Amino acid sequence: MPSSQPATLRLADQEEAFTVSDKIALGELQMRTDVAKNIMKLFVTTNIFVLVLLLLIFSIDIYFMTRNLIGAGDRIVTENVLMALLGATTVQVGTIMVSISAYLFPRRQTGDEE
């Protein structure tokens, strides 16, 4: 009959059997998992912030246009502004993700090392 306990509980019960290098490897795995989750949170949070900011500026544009304070050609939010902000945000956070990921998750050596 399979155990209904999560794998983490079974590992905790067998912790005495782990060597120091096993414990270090498990700690590094947990650290890498936490950093990967934080990188994704940063990416999502940054993009949400930019979208909220764009919506706020767009609503200001709509307000001014409905009051005839500015013409349609005088808007702040144009298609060029949208493309520039979204593109720059994606590139910046993507660069951060690649840099941190390359450091935390190095490629395996393909050699004679054992």
Side-chain angles (χ1 to χ4, degrees):
M1 176 190 292
S3 174
S4 61
Q5 294 179 345
T8 54
L9 292 178
R10 287 194 303 261
L11 287 176
D13 293 341
Q14 301 170 357
E15 189 170 330
E16 306 84 36
F18 290 148
T19 64
V20 173
S21 61
D22 289 340
K23 291 179 183 180
I24 291 172
L26 286 172
E28 286 179 0
L29 174 66
Q30 184 62 46
M31 179 198 64
R32 290 177 178 170
T33 303
D34 291 343
V35 169
K37 287 178 183 177
N38 288 333
I39 290 171
M40 290 308 297
K41 285 179 188 177
L42 173 68
F43 183 76
V44 169
T45 303
T46 305
N47 282 315
I48 288 172
F49 176 77
V50 169
L51 289 175
V52 168
L53 183 64
L54 285 174
L55 287 173
L56 176 66
I57 294 172
F58 180 70
S59 64
I60 292 170
D61 275 348
I62 296 296
Y63 174 79
F64 283 148
M65 285 191 298
T66 56
R67 303 279 190 251
N68 291 326
L69 298 174
I70 62 171
D74 299 328
R75 293 176 302 164
I76 298 171
V77 179
T78 63
E79 54 275 352
N80 291 336
V81 171
L82 287 172
M83 287 189 295
L85 286 175
L86 291 176
T89 301
T90 302
V91 167
Q92 289 171 0
V93 175
T95 301
I96 292 169
M97 287 178 60
V98 168
S99 300
I100 293 175
S101 297
Y103 174 73
L104 289 176
F105 306 105
R107 293 178 183 235
R108 293 179 186 236
Q109 298 294 326
T110 57
D112 299 283
E113 298 176 19
E114 298 262 339

